[in-house]
Amino acid sequence: LRFSCRRGGGLVQVGGSLRLSCAASGFTSDAYAIGWFRQAPGKEREVISCISSSDGSTFINYSIKDRFYISNDDTENVVNLQMYRLKVEDTGVYYCAAREGRPQATVMAGCATRLMEHWGKGTQVTVSS
């Protein structure tokens, strides 16, 4: 599985918006869970949001609820993360990740990082005050 970053991170001011976009290729089936994760400096990697390709069900980390929105274009295997009202604490490296097979179960499990099999390289998002 390969990931390519279509729209990456960058530097944005507090309160600003940013859109990340990741394209995945090489899936062996149409059933997969894909999502966005982040790792802030000195912290564990955490899930932001993920989505199931089979039924569109999603998991959203409560900490970013109503600010970040995930979407998936199944035809192109592109997963987007639209971020609004960014905060300094949103600073970190953002990763795209996927797991093939059992997409609904993966989403129901909150797309725990230990379940995700394939990881993109990550893109830096810096929110400045």
Side-chain angles (χ1 to χ4, degrees):
L1 202 66
R2 292 195 312 168
F3 294 96
S4 61
C5 187
R6 292 197 173 183
R7 294 189 68 170
L11 177 65
V12 63
Q13 291 190 327
V14 167
S17 301
L18 196 62
R19 183 177 176 90
L20 305 179
S21 185
C22 168
S25 60
F27 284 112
T28 58
S29 78
D30 292 334
Y32 58 88
I34 191 166
W36 283 95
F37 298 72
R38 72 181 177 191
Q39 188 163 16
K43 294 190 176 181
E44 298 280 327
R45 192 173 298 186
E46 64 175 352
V47 60
I48 297 171
S49 186
C50 61
I51 189 167
S52 162
S53 68
S54 60
D55 66 351
S57 58
T58 59
F59 172 82
I60 301 170
N61 188 321
Y62 183 80
S63 69
I64 54 83
K65 190 176 180 295
D66 297 330
R67 293 194 302 121
F68 292 8
Y69 299 91
I70 194 170
S71 62
N72 185 29
D73 180 345
D74 289 341
T75 61
E76 295 188 12
N77 293 332
V78 173
V79 61
N80 305 300
L81 184 68
Q82 179 67 55
M83 303 184 287
Y84 298 103
R85 301 192 303 280
L86 284 160
K87 304 176 180 180
V88 171
E89 51 264 42
D90 294 321
T91 294
V93 180
Y94 284 65
Y95 298 88
C96 187
R99 182 194 191 195
E100 294 191 79
R102 306 188 68 191
Q104 291 167 284
T106 302
V107 170
M108 288 182 66
C111 292
T113 54
R114 60 180 171 80
L115 297 177
M116 308 309 283
E117 300 165 327
H118 308 284
W119 291 85
K121 291 183 179 179
T123 185
Q124 177 69 42
V125 172
T126 302
V127 184
S128 65
S129 59

